[in-house]
Amino acid sequence: MNLTHLHLLITHLPIFGSVLGALVLIIGIATGSRSTLNAAYVVLLISAIGGMIAYSTGESAEETVEHLPGVSRGIIEAHEEVAKITVVTTILMGVFSALALLTRNSNKNFIAKTLSRLVLVIALLSFGMAAYTGYLGGQIRHTEIKNNVNQTPETNNPKDGNRSID
Protein backbone atom coordinates (compact mmCIF):
# COMPACT_ATOMS: atom_id res chain seq x y z
CA MET A 1 0.00 0.00 0.00
CA ASN A 2 1.27 3.49 -0.84
CA LEU A 3 0.18 6.96 0.28
CA THR A 4 -2.21 7.33 -2.66
CA HIS A 5 -3.98 4.12 -1.66
CA LEU A 6 -4.09 5.28 1.96
CA HIS A 7 -5.58 8.59 0.80
CA LEU A 8 -8.34 6.84 -1.13
CA LEU A 9 -9.14 4.58 1.82
CA ILE A 10 -9.03 7.11 4.64
CA THR A 11 -11.00 9.88 2.91
CA HIS A 12 -14.23 8.09 3.74
CA LEU A 13 -13.59 8.22 7.48
CA PRO A 14 -14.14 11.97 7.99
CA ILE A 15 -17.29 11.84 5.88
CA PHE A 16 -18.99 8.90 7.55
CA GLY A 17 -17.37 9.42 10.95
CA SER A 18 -18.57 12.99 11.31
CA VAL A 19 -22.16 12.23 10.37
CA LEU A 20 -22.25 9.08 12.52
CA GLY A 21 -20.67 10.93 15.44
CA ALA A 22 -23.18 13.77 15.02
CA LEU A 23 -26.09 11.32 15.08
CA VAL A 24 -24.77 9.63 18.22
CA LEU A 25 -24.19 13.06 19.75
CA ILE A 26 -27.81 14.04 19.04
CA ILE A 27 -28.94 10.91 20.84
CA GLY A 28 -26.60 11.68 23.73
CA ILE A 29 -27.89 15.25 24.01
CA ALA A 30 -31.51 14.10 23.83
CA THR A 31 -31.11 11.36 26.44
CA GLY A 32 -28.53 13.06 28.63
CA SER A 33 -26.48 9.88 28.59
CA ARG A 34 -22.84 10.59 29.41
CA SER A 35 -21.68 7.30 27.91
CA THR A 36 -23.47 8.09 24.64
CA LEU A 37 -21.95 11.57 24.60
CA ASN A 38 -18.52 10.09 25.27
CA ALA A 39 -18.97 7.57 22.45
CA ALA A 40 -19.89 10.41 20.09
CA TYR A 41 -16.83 12.42 21.08
CA VAL A 42 -14.55 9.43 20.50
CA VAL A 43 -16.07 8.77 17.06
CA LEU A 44 -15.67 12.45 16.15
CA LEU A 45 -12.09 12.49 17.42
CA ILE A 46 -11.22 9.43 15.31
CA SER A 47 -12.95 11.07 12.35
CA ALA A 48 -10.84 14.20 12.83
CA ILE A 49 -7.65 12.14 12.89
CA GLY A 50 -8.80 10.49 9.66
CA GLY A 51 -9.37 13.93 8.13
CA MET A 52 -5.84 15.00 9.01
CA ILE A 53 -4.40 11.81 7.51
CA ALA A 54 -6.49 12.29 4.36
CA TYR A 55 -5.24 15.83 3.99
CA SER A 56 -1.60 14.91 4.63
CA THR A 57 -1.69 12.16 1.97
CA GLY A 58 -3.44 14.32 -0.62
CA GLU A 59 -0.28 15.70 -2.20
CA SER A 60 1.00 12.19 -2.86
CA ALA A 61 -2.33 11.22 -4.43
CA GLU A 62 -2.18 14.34 -6.62
CA GLU A 63 1.29 13.43 -7.87
CA THR A 64 0.02 9.98 -8.79
CA VAL A 65 -2.91 11.12 -10.94
CA GLU A 66 -2.09 14.61 -12.22
CA HIS A 67 -0.47 13.35 -15.43
CA LEU A 68 -2.97 10.62 -16.24
CA PRO A 69 -5.14 11.03 -19.34
CA GLY A 70 -8.55 12.56 -18.67
CA VAL A 71 -7.57 14.09 -15.33
CA SER A 72 -8.45 17.77 -15.05
CA ARG A 73 -6.00 20.04 -13.26
CA GLY A 74 -8.92 22.36 -12.43
CA ILE A 75 -10.82 19.64 -10.58
CA ILE A 76 -7.70 18.70 -8.63
CA GLU A 77 -7.18 22.33 -7.62
CA ALA A 78 -10.84 22.76 -6.60
CA HIS A 79 -10.62 19.58 -4.51
CA GLU A 80 -7.40 20.79 -2.90
CA GLU A 81 -8.80 24.25 -2.05
CA VAL A 82 -11.93 22.82 -0.41
CA ALA A 83 -9.80 20.23 1.40
CA LYS A 84 -7.86 23.05 3.08
CA ILE A 85 -11.07 24.36 4.63
CA THR A 86 -12.27 20.86 5.45
CA VAL A 87 -9.14 19.94 7.38
CA VAL A 88 -9.62 23.06 9.53
CA THR A 89 -13.21 22.07 10.35
CA THR A 90 -12.17 18.49 11.16
CA ILE A 91 -9.33 19.71 13.39
CA LEU A 92 -11.77 21.99 15.23
CA MET A 93 -14.16 19.06 15.57
CA GLY A 94 -11.37 16.94 17.05
CA VAL A 95 -10.13 19.64 19.40
CA PHE A 96 -13.58 20.43 20.78
CA SER A 97 -14.42 16.71 21.04
CA ALA A 98 -11.24 16.15 23.04
CA LEU A 99 -12.06 19.16 25.21
CA ALA A 100 -15.55 17.80 25.80
CA LEU A 101 -14.07 14.44 26.80
CA LEU A 102 -11.64 16.10 29.19
CA THR A 103 -14.36 18.18 30.84
CA ARG A 104 -17.08 15.52 30.81
CA ASN A 105 -16.86 14.92 34.54
CA SER A 106 -16.89 18.61 35.32
CA ASN A 107 -19.45 19.84 37.80
CA LYS A 108 -20.14 22.70 35.42
CA ASN A 109 -23.20 21.33 33.64
CA PHE A 110 -23.53 24.53 31.58
CA ILE A 111 -20.04 24.03 30.11
CA ALA A 112 -20.76 20.40 29.21
CA LYS A 113 -24.07 21.29 27.52
CA THR A 114 -22.55 24.21 25.64
CA LEU A 115 -19.63 22.09 24.46
CA SER A 116 -21.89 19.28 23.29
CA ARG A 117 -23.95 21.68 21.18
CA LEU A 118 -20.86 23.40 19.82
CA VAL A 119 -19.33 20.05 18.88
CA LEU A 120 -22.60 19.10 17.16
CA VAL A 121 -22.58 22.24 15.01
CA ILE A 122 -18.93 21.76 14.10
CA ALA A 123 -19.51 18.06 13.33
CA LEU A 124 -22.38 18.87 10.97
CA LEU A 125 -20.29 21.55 9.28
CA SER A 126 -17.39 19.14 9.04
CA PHE A 127 -19.65 16.50 7.50
CA GLY A 128 -20.88 18.94 4.85
CA MET A 129 -17.36 20.07 4.03
CA ALA A 130 -15.97 16.51 3.97
CA ALA A 131 -18.81 15.28 1.78
CA TYR A 132 -18.28 18.13 -0.69
CA THR A 133 -14.52 17.55 -0.67
CA GLY A 134 -15.15 13.86 -1.35
CA TYR A 135 -17.52 14.73 -4.18
CA LEU A 136 -14.89 16.92 -5.81
CA GLY A 137 -12.22 14.29 -5.24
CA GLY A 138 -14.41 11.64 -6.80
CA GLN A 139 -14.70 13.72 -9.95
CA ILE A 140 -10.95 13.45 -10.48
CA ARG A 141 -11.18 9.83 -11.63
CA HIS A 142 -14.86 8.93 -11.53
CA THR A 143 -16.30 10.44 -14.68
CA GLU A 144 -19.72 8.95 -13.91
CA ILE A 145 -20.33 11.55 -11.19
CA LYS A 146 -19.32 14.60 -13.20
CA ASN A 147 -22.18 16.97 -14.01
CA ASN A 148 -21.21 17.35 -17.65
CA VAL A 149 -21.08 13.67 -18.59
CA ASN A 150 -23.13 12.95 -21.70
CA GLN A 151 -25.43 10.05 -21.10
CA THR A 152 -25.72 7.79 -24.13
CA PRO A 153 -28.12 4.89 -24.47
CA GLU A 154 -26.68 1.47 -23.91
CA THR A 155 -26.02 -0.12 -27.27
CA ASN A 156 -24.84 -3.47 -25.98
CA ASN A 157 -27.85 -4.65 -24.04
CA PRO A 158 -27.64 -8.39 -23.50
CA LYS A 159 -31.26 -8.53 -22.29
CA ASP A 160 -32.78 -7.72 -25.67
CA GLY A 161 -30.17 -9.56 -27.72
CA ASN A 162 -29.15 -6.44 -29.64
CA ARG A 163 -25.45 -6.02 -30.03
CA SER A 164 -23.70 -3.30 -31.91
CA ILE A 165 -20.38 -3.93 -33.55
CA ASP A 166 -18.09 -0.94 -33.72
Side-chain angles (χ1 to χ4, degrees):
M1 178 181 342
N2 59 28
L3 290 177
T4 300
H5 191 216
L6 178 60
H7 180 77
L8 295 172
L9 288 173
I10 202 76
T11 54
H12 296 88
L13 182 57
I15 298 169
F16 293 109
S18 59
V19 73
L20 177 64
L23 291 173
V24 174
L25 187 55
I26 290 169
I27 294 168
I29 291 169
T31 62
S33 167
R34 283 192 183 201
S35 60
T36 304
L37 290 169
N38 292 341
Y41 299 140
V42 169
V43 169
L44 293 171
L45 189 55
I46 292 168
S47 177
I49 292 167
M52 290 183 283
I53 294 170
Y55 183 77
S56 67
T57 57
E59 192 66 35
S60 178
E62 177 183 0
E63 290 172 9
T64 301
V65 301
E66 66 187 346
H67 301 296
L68 295 177
V71 172
S72 165
R73 183 78 193 142
I75 293 174
I76 291 174
E77 288 176 11
H79 173 65
E80 187 175 2
E81 289 305 310
V82 173
K84 288 176 186 176
I85 299 167
T86 302
V87 75
V88 171
T89 62
T90 58
I91 289 170
L92 287 172
M93 180 178 68
V95 167
F96 281 102
S97 293
L99 186 60
L101 278 169
L102 292 173
T103 61
R104 70 185 183 268
N105 292 326
S106 169
N107 290 332
K108 307 285 188 208
N109 201 15
F110 174 76
I111 293 173
K113 284 184 178 185
T114 302
L115 267 176
S116 65
R117 283 157 179 78
L118 179 62
V119 171
L120 177 60
V121 169
I122 297 170
L124 292 172
L125 175 64
S126 183
F127 165 68
M129 291 302 302
Y132 185 61
T133 303
Y135 169 74
L136 292 174
Q139 288 186 9
I140 294 170
R141 293 286 292 166
H142 292 282
T143 57
E144 70 275 11
I145 65 170
K146 289 183 182 177
N147 290 334
N148 60 353
V149 173
N150 293 328
Q151 298 291 329
T152 58
E154 183 68 32
T155 55
N156 291 329
N157 188 348
K159 289 183 182 175
D160 63 14
N162 295 331
R163 292 210 169 284
S164 67
I165 299 175
D166 294 324

